[in-house]
Amino acid sequence: MTQSALAAYLHSHMPLSRAMAVSVVSANAMEVVLEAPLAPNLNMHGTMFGGSIANLALLAAWSVMHLRLEADQFAGQLVVGRSETDYLRPVSGPARALARLDGLDWDGFSRQLNRHGKARLTVTVEVLSDDQIAARLVGTFAAIAGSEAQI
Amino acid sequence: MTQSALAAYLHSHMPLSRAMAVSVVSANAMEVVLEAPLAPNLNMHGTMFGGSIANLALLAAWSVMHLRLEADQFAGQLVVGRSETDYLRPVSGPARALARLDGLDWDGFSRQLNRHGKARLTVTVEVLSDDQIAARLVGTFAAIAGSEAQI
């Protein structure tokens, strides 16, 4: 799935990503960078709603795992099981979420998935604004082979 | 702030709450219940996007603290510092988030706020769907007297 295909996929399958005006800055099977502008994501203090910041990070983490699983020809679902977000500073402009798979034990995750039809992986995402880290999300996702509807 | 005033406040100050079609089921200074329908919050599996579930819970927690602080005539900001969300089961219809202050040490929080101009409180929110707990969010908020823009 290319960069523009990922943007179209998110916007058509997840209406909230369209409401947040999420764009795909770059996307491949190792790293995904998503961006969201301030206006549709404002809070009552004139900065970015913490929920929007967390969503952007969650979508980036989901996307990079999705692209890598797609490259591995995995058929099934990828669902979030847990997320922890630290909000470190206010965001007063656009925000970028960077999700990377390097440094993670993808091979172990992949072996587990092939053996048991289910495996979990924890991905850390940084959200940057104005060249500073504004938030950090740690998300644990489960890949489930050929499964039914999940979150 | 009444139930309808809270809905109007959220929708006018936080565009994403409008995009999520969040409604206020009940609201007072001890408990807030918010609801969101499935359609604007769908994910690619036809269930509710985890980010929407977490947002709904975050908004409920923020709202009940905001209403209580308003009742206490607090002037300042209420910002989220950290959130942890466990996604326990898929949501295939509307979801309700229940945030309550009973059982929390509001008096201690309030004393700290009066003394130091800043205090933190952790609120647990349950998200229900189809009468079952679908997710649980633990959010830590900071109240800051007369402060500048924050998350």
Side-chain angles (χ1 to χ4, degrees), chain A residues 3 6-7 22-27 31-36 95-97:
Chain A
Q3 181 179 334
L6 176 61
V22 171
S23 61
V24 179
V25 177
S26 64
E31 180 184 281
V32 166
V33 182
L34 301 182
E35 186 170 289
R96 282 192 176 195

Side-chain angles (χ1 to χ4, degrees), chain A residues 13-14 16 20 43-45 47 49 51-52 55 62 77-78 81-87 89 150-151, chain B residues 13-14 16 20 43-45 47 49 51-52 55 62 78 81-87 89 150-151:
Chain A
H13 289 82
M14 309 191 66
L16 206 66
M20 290 174 58
N43 64 15
M44 53 286 293
H45 308 306
T47 56
F49 171 43
S52 286
N55 279 4
W62 184 90
Q77 293 202 345
L78 176 64
R82 182 177 167 80
S83 62
E84 301 173 18
T85 311
D86 285 296
Y87 306 90
R89 56 178 73 232
Q150 299 280 338
I151 284 172
Chain B
H13 289 81
M14 308 191 67
L16 206 65
M20 288 173 60
N43 64 15
M44 54 288 291
H45 308 306
T47 56
F49 171 42
S52 287
N55 279 4
W62 183 89
L78 177 63
R82 181 176 168 80
S83 61
E84 301 174 18
T85 311
D86 285 296
Y87 306 90
R89 55 178 73 233
Q150 298 280 338
I151 283 173

Side-chain angles (χ1 to χ4, degrees), chain A residues 1 3 26 32 36 40 56 62 92 98-99 102 107 119 121 136 141 143:
Chain A
M1 197 184 279
Q3 181 179 334
S26 64
V32 166
L56 189 69
W62 184 90
S92 52
L98 285 77
D102 56 310
D107 290 344
L121 192 73
R136 191 175 283 113
F141 293 81

